[in-house]
């Protein structure tokens, strides 16, 4: 089983969206995939997959993940009384919970485990890296410099884990549906420059696409439907598979 960290160093760059769609894209290609939502304070995977009311059960002394079209999912969101319930924990409690959902889950025989990490480089990311020793880290950024500054910290963290590092740029150019012109609302090429400066592989740029927003709101992966973003993500997935 290959373990893939999806990290960003900051919130709001679409890290969870990348994690969900990567898991689904790999499952569509016939791989056995698990998706671990390690964002304790802001779990969004249940919302993005339309399974906010799901609850985890025990199976042979271990937690049984929720199966979503072939992707096995675990999130702290499944254990909370409601989606509005805050998690007010200090570091040791967070580590203990992460230890439980990494070691006490009946994942079965997986090819890939995708780990959606919280923003920043704090307790949770340290714990996940120590508990799982991931082989691959995907760093998600948006093109503008204010995002790249924070994401650079996450990339430096990934280098310390000895994982093979890749960069994906999200919220790239917006293609006007009327004239076809590309508008670079958040700038252009920041993710590729970041990858080049660290001598790591750049996988591609996901465009701003209304279908991406709609899929997240309605609770399904955008790669399920045809579109520019879906086509680009398929290419990104193929590049990743070639590399690993």
């Amino acid at each position: 089983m290959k373990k893939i960290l999806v990290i960003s160093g900051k919130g709001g760059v679409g890290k969870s969206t990348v994690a969900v769609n990567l898991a689904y894209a790999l499952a569509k290609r016939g791989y056995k995939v698990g998706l671990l939502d390690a964002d304790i304070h802001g779990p969004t995977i249940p919302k993005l997959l339309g399974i906010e009311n799901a609850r985890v059960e025990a199976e042979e002394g271990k937690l049984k993940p929720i199966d979503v079209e072939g992707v096995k999912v675990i999130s702290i969101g499944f254990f909370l009384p409601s989606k509005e319930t805050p998690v007010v924990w200090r570091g040791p409690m967070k580590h203990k919970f992460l230890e439980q959902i990494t070691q006490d889950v009946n994942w079965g025989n997986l090819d890939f485990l995708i780990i959606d990490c919280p923003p920043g480089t704090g307790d949770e990311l340290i714990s996940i890296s120590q508990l799982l020793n991931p082989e691959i880290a995907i760093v998600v950024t948006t093109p503008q410099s204010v995002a790249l500054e924070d994401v650079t910290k996450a990339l430096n963290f990934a280098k310390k884990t000895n994982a093979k590092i890749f960069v994906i740029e999200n919220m790239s150019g917006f293609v006007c549906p009327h004239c076809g012109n590309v508008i670079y609302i958040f700038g252009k090429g920041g993710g590729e420059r970041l990858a080049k400066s660290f001598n790591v592989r750049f996988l591609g740029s996901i465009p701003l696409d209304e279908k991406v927003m709609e899929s997240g709101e309605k609770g399904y992966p955008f790669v399920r439907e045809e579109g520019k973003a879906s086509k680009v993500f398929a290419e990104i997935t193929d590049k990743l598979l070639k590399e690993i």
Side-chain angles (χ1 to χ4, degrees):
M1 175 178 69
K2 290 192 179 296
K3 290 148 285 185
I4 303 176
L5 285 183
V6 182
I7 59 178
S8 65
K10 70 185 281 37
V13 298
K15 169 186 53 59
S16 297
T17 298
V18 168
V20 162
N21 284 276
L22 178 60
Y24 192 84
L26 289 169
K28 278 179 67 178
R29 285 161 172 76
Y31 294 101
K32 296 176 181 177
V33 184
L35 177 58
L36 175 62
D37 185 356
D39 193 344
I40 291 175
H41 296 288
T44 53
I45 297 298
K47 167 67 176 175
L48 293 174
L49 288 174
I51 49 174
E52 292 176 283
N53 296 321
R55 291 294 177 263
V56 173
E57 299 176 353
E59 182 181 63
E60 299 178 359
K62 290 201 171 188
L63 299 172
K64 182 181 179 182
I66 306 299
D67 190 294
V68 184
E69 298 184 47
V71 176
K72 296 180 178 179
V73 186
I74 283 287
S75 170
I76 193 173
F78 302 149
F79 301 89
L80 300 175
S82 75
K83 60 185 179 182
E84 290 84 16
T85 304
V87 178
V88 188
W89 289 349
R90 293 188 184 274
M93 289 188 68
K94 290 190 274 190
H95 180 84
K96 187 174 182 179
F97 177 78
L98 290 171
E99 191 174 39
Q100 182 179 14
I101 62 171
T102 53
Q103 299 180 1
D104 295 336
V105 175
N106 186 12
W107 291 110
N109 186 24
L110 296 181
D111 297 308
F112 295 98
L113 177 63
I114 314 297
I115 306 107
D116 180 35
C117 297
T121 53
D123 289 344
E124 296 97 317
L125 192 54
I126 295 169
S127 293
I128 284 292
S129 299
Q130 291 174 341
L131 290 165
L132 291 176
N133 192 25
E135 297 92 347
I136 301 154
I138 294 177
V139 181
V140 182
T141 187
T142 47
Q144 71 271 43
S145 59
V146 68
L148 292 169
E149 289 177 7
D150 288 334
V151 173
T152 297
K153 298 170 187 174
L155 206 155
N156 277 319
F157 177 94
K159 290 185 75 173
K160 295 180 179 180
T161 68
N162 296 316
K164 189 169 186 179
I165 303 169
F166 301 90
V167 173
I168 291 176
E169 182 182 277
N170 193 27
M171 303 182 196
S172 189
F174 171 72
V175 181
C176 176
H178 304 294
C179 66
N181 288 336
V182 181
I183 306 167
Y184 294 97
I185 297 171
F186 296 113
K188 182 180 180 182
E192 191 167 9
R193 289 193 298 273
L194 177 69
K196 189 175 292 184
S197 67
F198 278 87
N199 195 29
V200 298
R201 187 82 160 91
F202 180 67
L203 293 178
S205 300
I206 304 168
L208 278 167
D209 190 328
E210 189 177 15
K211 288 185 178 181
V212 176
M213 180 277 294
E214 287 179 353
S215 67
E217 288 294 307
K218 294 179 180 178
Y220 63 89
F222 68 79
V223 293
R224 184 194 289 174
E225 298 183 342
E226 292 185 3
K228 177 65 175 175
S230 182
K231 182 181 178 182
V232 168
F233 206 88
E235 294 169 356
I236 285 172
T237 305
D238 290 338
K239 283 182 185 178
L240 179 65
L241 286 170
K242 284 181 182 178
E243 292 284 340
I244 62 176

